[in-house]
Amino acid sequence: MEKRFVPNQKRLRRFQDHELVSHYHLRPFYPPETFVILEELMVDEPRVVLDLGCGTGNVARPLAASAAVERIDAVDVSLAMLERARELPGGDAPTIRWIHGRAEDVALTPPYALVTAGMCLHWMDWGQVLPRLAHMLTPRGLLAILNLQQSMPWLQAYQQIRRRFADERPAPGLKLVAAMEQRGLFRLLGERQTAPLPMQQTVEDYIAAQYAYSSLAGLDSEQRADFEQEMRTLLTPFARDGLLSFEVVATITWGRPCDAAG
């Protein structure tokens, strides 16, 4: 039997932590090309989007700026995330409805021409969520799963440090799509990657951004001091004029959720 991804409730609760939320804006953002691709995936009317696990609105806020989108229902289980989302640029757009609740059972208003999920399905019971979405999509509506990857010369050494300090392995990312397919819960229809987007960040902001990931948000003060020292030692040689340079690429995988496992 295919092994199922089970949400880690301890780590999930950390997204309610205002300290984690306060660092969230330091995480890399989706390249603008991401939203061009998402617009192209919407072919049905009404042009209404459901954004699952919306967090601070890194998908919902830029997408709401598109004239092609009539409404976005942005759902998250963390009230702290939603409060922060409303404060950020574009968070007060009249086309966004910020909805507090679980994707498994929150009250929604379908149909949706597009459902987006940005690196969040592993926090959900997708055995419940995907069949539910199958009944909420328009006839040609799609589920688009977004994944953001960083390309950086210090990656291998960074991963070694993270493995020593993180309390669990990273999120399953695109492996989740294969698992959903194997269980008969998702039918893959396409995938695209954006062009690499160059980014720059100070060493201190890059380190602080790590606390916006649930696997590192639980470090105590002593662990943080050790983690930050190791990170500074690693990153400082790569900084130029005080800035680190790296690239981010978004992968958009889309398809149709299925109403029952095969």
Side-chain angles (χ1 to χ4, degrees):
M1 180 179 294
E2 177 66 26
K3 185 177 180 181
R4 173 179 173 180
F5 290 109
V6 179
N8 182 310
Q9 294 301 318
K10 179 181 178 181
R11 285 179 56 193
L12 183 58
R13 284 192 294 271
R14 290 177 185 163
F15 289 104
Q16 306 286 350
D17 186 340
H18 284 276
E19 184 183 14
L20 182 151
V21 174
S22 70
H23 290 102
Y24 215 79
H25 70 285
L26 297 173
R27 291 175 58 155
F29 51 83
Y30 292 102
E33 186 185 351
T34 306
F35 305 100
V36 175
I37 295 171
L38 292 178
E39 286 181 29
E40 292 173 354
L41 294 177
M42 285 189 293
V43 295
D44 276 352
E45 300 284 347
R47 299 177 73 83
V48 177
V49 178
L50 171 62
D51 183 25
L52 296 179
C54 66
T56 57
N58 289 346
V59 173
R61 290 182 291 107
L63 196 56
S66 169
V69 177
E70 297 175 22
R71 188 185 84 236
I72 299 177
D73 289 350
V75 175
D76 202 279
V77 72
S78 170
L79 191 57
M81 286 284 190
L82 296 178
E83 290 171 349
R84 179 62 177 149
R86 292 187 180 96
E87 298 170 351
L88 291 171
D92 59 351
T95 51
I96 303 178
R97 300 197 312 179
W98 301 107
I99 302 172
H100 181 223
R102 302 187 328 136
E104 291 86 346
D105 50 29
V106 69
L108 296 171
T109 310
Y112 298 104
L114 181 69
V115 177
T116 57
M119 298 186 290
C120 64
L121 282 174
H122 56 282
W123 295 115
M124 303 170 189
D125 185 344
W126 35 269
Q128 293 183 37
V129 171
L130 293 175
R132 187 182 190 203
L133 295 179
H135 296 281
M136 291 188 170
L137 284 169
T138 59
R140 294 182 295 170
L142 297 169
L143 167 61
I145 301 168
L146 285 69
N147 191 55
L148 193 63
Q149 296 171 304
Q150 301 180 43
S151 176
M152 46 203 182
W154 56 86
L155 177 61
Q156 185 174 357
Y158 162 76
Q159 289 175 334
Q160 292 174 355
I161 294 174
R162 180 164 178 151
R163 278 194 292 268
R164 288 200 300 276
F165 287 92
D167 60 6
E168 194 174 334
R169 64 183 176 84
L174 295 177
K175 293 181 181 179
L176 187 68
V177 174
M180 293 189 303
E181 281 191 285
Q182 289 170 2
R183 287 191 60 198
L185 291 168
F186 184 70
R187 180 162 58 93
L188 178 65
L189 295 176
E191 183 174 284
R192 280 177 61 183
Q193 281 193 336
T194 65
L197 176 70
M199 296 191 70
Q200 289 188 317
Q201 198 167 31
T202 67
V203 170
E204 293 305 311
D205 278 353
Y206 188 90
I207 294 171
Q210 307 311 308
Y211 298 130
Y213 296 93
S214 64
S215 60
L216 289 165
L219 300 182
D220 61 30
S221 58
E222 184 176 349
Q223 290 171 322
R224 285 192 177 205
D226 291 342
F227 172 72
E228 290 173 12
Q229 183 57 49
E230 289 198 33
M231 288 291 288
R232 288 189 189 97
T233 300
L234 166 65
L235 296 172
T236 300
F238 292 97
R240 298 292 180 270
D241 297 323
L243 294 173
L244 297 168
S245 297
F246 55 100
E247 294 180 334
V248 296
V249 172
T251 301
I252 301 93
T253 305
W254 64 88
R256 289 282 300 189
C258 305
D259 60 6

